Amino acid sequence: MKIPSSSSLVFTFLILSPTVLLLLQHPVGALPLYTNSRWIVDENGSRVKLACVNWVSHLKPMLAEGLSQQPLDVISKRIISMGFNCVRLTWPTFMVTNDSLASMTVRQSFQSLGLLDSIAGIQVNNPSLLDLSVIQAFQVVVSNLGDNNVMVILDNQVSKPLWCCNKCDGNGFFGDKYFKPDIWLEGLSAMATMFNGTSNVVAMSLRNELRGPRENTVDWYRYVYTYIHTYIAKMIYSSYGSVLILHHFLRYMQKGAETVHAANPNVLVIFSGLNFDSDLSFLRNHQVKLTFNGKLVFEFHWYSFTNGNIWENGNPNQVCGSKLNNVMTSAGFLLEQGWPLFVSEFGVDQSGTNVNDNRFFNCFFGIAAELDWDWALWTLVGSYYIRQGVSGVEETYGVLNYAWNDIQNPSFLQRISTLQTPFQGPGVSNVRPYNIILHPLTGLCVVQSYSVKEPLRLGSCVDQSEAWSYTREKNTLGLKGTYFCLQADGLGKPAKLGVFCSDATSKWEAISDSKLHLSSKLINGTTVCLDIDSNNTIVTNSCKCLSKDHTCDPASQWFKIITSLRT
Ligand SMILES: *[C@@H]1O[C@H](CO)[C@@H](O)[C@H](O)[C@H]1NC(C)=O
Ligand SMILES: *[C@@H]1O[C@H](CO)[C@@H](O)[C@H](O)[C@H]1NC(C)=O
Ligand SMILES: *[C@@H]1O[C@H](CO)[C@@H](O)[C@H](O)[C@H]1NC(C)=O
Ligand SMILES: *[C@@H]1O[C@H](CO)[C@@H](O)[C@H](O)[C@H]1NC(C)=O
Ligand SMILES: *[C@@H]1O[C@H](CO)[C@@H](O)[C@H](O)[C@H]1NC(C)=O
């Protein structure tokens, strides 16, 4: 299935011009960071929204990717010019705990892997790094990001340098072959100490994507008891097992957090969930207990392929609705409980041709805007020095191209810029909360045209977004500061602004399992949904593929009413 043609049209007038890029830059506030309920804030208490990109530095060469392709400073400047304010920089434990790895120079590390082309590339682009130790090179990367006003989150991705993650790679859970708790704590402590006082290092995530057989208590019981006891064991597990494993798990995570905090009291500590960081539900009735406050953040990962090809093979409204429920019970509830949630990995194939990813991302986009969570996109990387034994592997999820010298998909970046600044939170502005009508497929919002005679259209959510007021009792969408409200006028016709706001054509209801269709009625009673035409004009059409059908994509009709404080 092709992507709806509207998406390509939308961006023809939205090229990333230097002025746009300038607007996208949000300098780092007063560091260090703290938490205030569900918000991450600076020293003045103003919200700092983490809008990060993942930069891989945990693979066998133990050097941040791309440095054979472009100078470090060029890459750092590009990160900030693309609107990201931080990097989630991954590192492997053994880089700091294993002396023979830690003392390797960059040149030796690449030589040991036979990556002579990469050495030649580093010689050209970053010659000063070649004869530094891998740890020194890591520090240089962090420091250059700091010089460019980019915050850094140190992410302990694995123990042994390798591509992450599968269940049986020995790096998944406490006690696995390469995951000895004491070595892990030693690594966290060394890293936290190394960057104590480095102000742009604002957070450390304790461990990426816990996973694997060891976190499965049913199996654990199965091995411990004889076959005859399995049935009883399962019963015990169902009542106590999850509590036992939770205590075990939390004990280690709490230790990790205390270790980091003792060595570096400035950083936020980030807790990953179970099952590849897709599950934090165990925290609902059982919060982590730490000796310090105002520093704890939770992270969560969400990809389309977490659920196979479900997005492509199912009806997008139904899949989106059910996944949103899952996300809320697995992690989203934390925001309601007053904890920051950092969606530290998500991403899509940047070619734009992956239907499963595209559908996922339309759904992701709406909730990411609504909940206004902190996030880190996977990934900056356009290509890897070596990954899973193959050198020069392309990264289809990378925002940069293979040669790291250009943006892979400018329209994707334009779209995500809508999520880079906060909608809500302390210090965002003094205005009273209002609503915007977001169109996830384009990342744009419903705005008035340049002249009142012209129909409503899609425009930027950042600097020209219209203020609406949606009242759930009346279901009307009023244009703030006016008597006008949004009305359905006819099939395929532009939605109009009218002043008689009490009839059925002015009632808008979020329908379908995804609740992403805004539906109203025509004067003759026909149900219609808000949509866009090929010129990005806001129109009403028959509602598309509300359920069952998996061949059609309703995303042009997906709109989300978001609360905003942006000025
Ligand atoms: C924090 O507050 C101080 C004092 O009011 C001010 O000088 C500074 O610019 C503020 N910093 C930020 C990032 O808002
Ligand atoms: C350190 O790393 C080297 C190279 O991978 C490995 O051979 C050695 O066993 C490691 N040492 C320890 C103590 O883990
Ligand atoms: C970390 O740095 C602070 C100053 O920023 C210092 O007071 C503290 O002793 C340092 N902690 C460690 C463990 O080095
Ligand atoms: C209502 O009007 C639309 C045209 O605006 C038309 O297509 C539709 O058939 C009408 N429905 C009924 C029930 O008359
Ligand atoms: C889009 O705009 C062009 C040029 O203004 C116009 O010719 C075309 O009819 C419009 N398309 C729609 C669907 O309104």
Side-chain angles (χ1 to χ4, degrees):
M1 180 152 167
K2 288 196 302 187
I3 317 182
S5 54
S6 52
S7 64
S8 50
L9 264 163
V10 165
F11 297 109
T12 49
F13 64 93
L14 280 172
I15 312 149
L16 283 175
S17 66
T19 16
V20 171
L21 290 177
L22 219 68
L23 283 172
L24 292 175
Q25 296 177 16
H26 349 282
V28 175
L31 301 174
L33 301 180
Y34 300 89
T35 65
N36 172 7
S37 177
R38 60 146 293 184
W39 310 107
I40 294 171
V41 297
D42 66 15
E43 235 167 2
N44 290 359
S46 294
R47 180 169 186 202
V48 174
K49 180 170 179 173
L50 299 178
C52 317
V53 67
N54 279 279
W55 191 355
V56 171
S57 187
H58 69 274
L59 300 188
K60 282 196 172 151
M62 296 175 287
L63 181 68
E65 300 290 335
L67 297 173
S68 62
Q69 305 267 14
Q70 290 289 309
L72 172 58
D73 193 56
V74 170
I75 297 175
S76 295
K77 287 193 162 58
R78 198 179 270 282
I79 291 169
I80 205 88
S81 79
M82 291 188 296
F84 300 105
N85 60 10
C86 87
V87 159
R88 181 174 180 256
L89 188 62
T90 62
W91 61 280
T93 306
F94 294 170
M95 180 178 80
V96 289
T97 59
N98 179 320
D99 291 340
S100 69
L101 293 182
S103 61
M104 263 194 190
T105 65
V106 170
R107 188 192 300 277
Q108 287 163 346
S109 173
F110 279 77
Q111 266 166 356
S112 74
L113 297 163
L115 298 172
L116 303 184
D117 288 351
S118 294
I119 293 177
I122 298 168
Q123 180 71 57
V124 171
N125 288 297
N126 293 287
S128 63
L129 295 181
L130 263 183
D131 295 305
L132 298 181
S133 71
V134 289
I135 291 188
Q136 287 169 330
F138 190 92
Q139 290 172 306
V140 170
V141 170
V142 169
S143 153
N144 186 268
L145 287 166
D147 292 345
N148 285 289
N149 227 4
V150 181
M151 294 181 282
V152 172
I153 293 166
L154 301 174
D155 169 69
N156 180 231
Q157 182 86 186
V158 284
S159 302
K160 190 178 162 70
L162 47 71
W163 178 251
C164 191
C165 302
N166 79 51
K167 280 189 177 165
C168 304
D169 60 17
N171 286 265
F173 204 72
F174 306 102
D176 281 1
K177 184 168 181 200
Y178 302 114
F179 195 170
K180 303 292 174 249
D182 52 339
I183 304 284
W184 170 68
L185 292 173
E186 185 191 325
L188 286 177
S189 179
M191 210 63 168
T193 305
M194 194 184 306
F195 293 102
N196 185 27
T198 305
S199 66
N200 69 309
V201 174
V202 295
M204 285 180 63
S205 43
L206 299 180
R207 183 66 167 198
N208 180 64
E209 299 198 355
L210 294 161
R211 63 189 176 278
R214 260 171 234 273
E215 73 172 12
N216 182 334
T217 48
V218 176
D219 281 351
W220 185 79
Y221 272 99
R222 190 173 295 144
Y223 295 131
V224 169
Y225 289 80
T226 60
Y227 176 76
I228 203 109
H229 287 120
T230 300
Y231 177 74
I232 304 165
K234 275 189 176 166
M235 281 177 51
I236 296 171
Y237 164 68
S238 61
S239 30
Y240 301 111
S242 56
V243 176
L244 286 179
I245 196 76
L246 201 56
H247 278 293
H248 178 70
F249 160 67
L250 287 178
R251 198 160 46 90
Y252 282 126
M253 292 299 274
Q254 284 162 4
K255 248 189 176 164
E258 298 291 350
T259 300
V260 165
H261 187 74
N264 185 338
N266 287 328
V267 289
L268 302 172
V269 293
I270 305 177
F271 264 62
S272 160
L274 296 170
N275 195 16
F276 296 87
D277 204 6
S278 69
D279 182 13
L280 291 153
S281 61
F282 52 86
L283 292 165
R284 181 182 288 277
N285 301 312
H286 198 112
Q287 250 310 331
V288 173
K289 288 186 185 62
L290 299 174
T291 60
F292 54 96
N293 295 317
K295 288 288 183 182
L296 178 57
V297 173
F298 294 97
E299 68 178 326
F300 177 69
H301 293 178
W302 189 16
Y303 290 104
S304 72
F305 50 78
T306 309
N307 306 102
N309 275 334
I310 190 173
W311 296 87
E312 185 169 0
N313 297 337
N315 172 272
N317 279 310
Q318 291 173 305
V319 178
C320 180
S322 104
K323 290 301 136 200
L324 292 182
N325 277 338
N326 285 358
V327 165
M328 289 315 290
T329 50
S330 311
F333 70 92
L334 286 165
L335 294 168
E336 289 158 10
Q337 289 189 344
W339 300 98
L341 183 62
F342 175 43
V343 180
S344 57
E345 285 190 28
F346 70 97
V348 295
D349 182 338
Q350 295 287 313
S351 72
T353 57
N354 182 326
V355 175
N356 206 46
D357 275 359
N358 293 344
R359 290 182 174 185
F360 152 79
F361 194 57
N362 294 331
C363 180
F364 177 96
F365 204 100
I367 188 145
E370 179 181 39
L371 298 181
D372 204 11
W373 55 38
D374 299 277
W375 52 265
L377 177 71
W378 188 272
T379 169
L380 177 69
V381 174
S383 53
Y384 298 95
Y385 307 120
I386 185 167
R387 186 181 118 177
Q388 294 163 299
V390 186
S391 59
V393 175
E394 182 183 7
E395 172 57 273
T396 51
Y397 284 58
V399 293
L400 295 182
N401 64 356
Y402 189 91
W404 289 66
N405 60 6
D406 207 354
I407 295 165
Q408 183 73 16
N409 184 339
S411 64
F412 176 86
L413 207 56
Q414 180 65 49
R415 188 173 168 197
I416 210 166
S417 70
T418 295
L419 301 178
Q420 284 172 330
T421 48
F423 290 101
Q424 297 179 58
V428 168
S429 79
N430 293 324
V431 303
R432 290 182 49 190
Y434 62 92
N435 293 124
I436 57 175
I437 310 172
L438 174 76
H439 187 248
L441 175 65
T442 55
L444 298 175
C445 284
V446 177
V447 301
Q448 284 197 78
S449 290
Y450 303 106
S451 119
V452 280
K453 295 246 167 82
E454 287 169 51
L456 296 161
R457 61 184 176 86
L458 290 179
S460 165
C461 302
V462 181
D463 51 4
Q464 51 169 328
S465 191
E466 228 61 70
W468 300 86
S469 110
Y470 186 64
T471 53
R472 290 193 203 268
E473 312 82 60
K474 291 205 253 163
N475 282 350
T476 54
L477 269 164
L479 190 59
K480 273 203 117 170
T482 74
Y483 294 109
F484 289 115
C485 63
L486 188 69
Q487 293 183 329
D489 197 31
L491 276 179
K493 283 192 169 174
K496 64 174 192 188
L497 289 172
V499 290
F500 300 107
C501 298
S502 56
D503 67 348
T505 66
S506 315
K507 311 278 179 217
W508 297 91
E509 211 187 327
I511 64 161
S512 87
D513 285 2
S514 69
K515 296 271 179 280
L516 286 165
H517 291 262
L518 283 179
S519 157
S520 185
K521 287 196 168 25
L522 300 182
I523 216 129
N524 68 6
T526 302
T527 298
V528 291
C529 279
L530 212 60
D531 203 344
I532 56 167
D533 74 6
S534 53
N535 291 343
N536 274 346
T537 298
I538 310 302
V539 297
T540 52
N541 281 320
S542 302
C543 302
K544 281 200 274 197
C545 36
L546 295 182
S547 63
K548 298 196 181 95
D549 190 353
H550 70 272
T551 59
C552 68
D553 190 339
S556 78
Q557 293 189 348
W558 279 4
F559 290 86
K560 187 124 190 163
I561 299 170
I562 308 283
T563 301
S564 177
L565 296 171
R566 284 181 183 173
T567 51

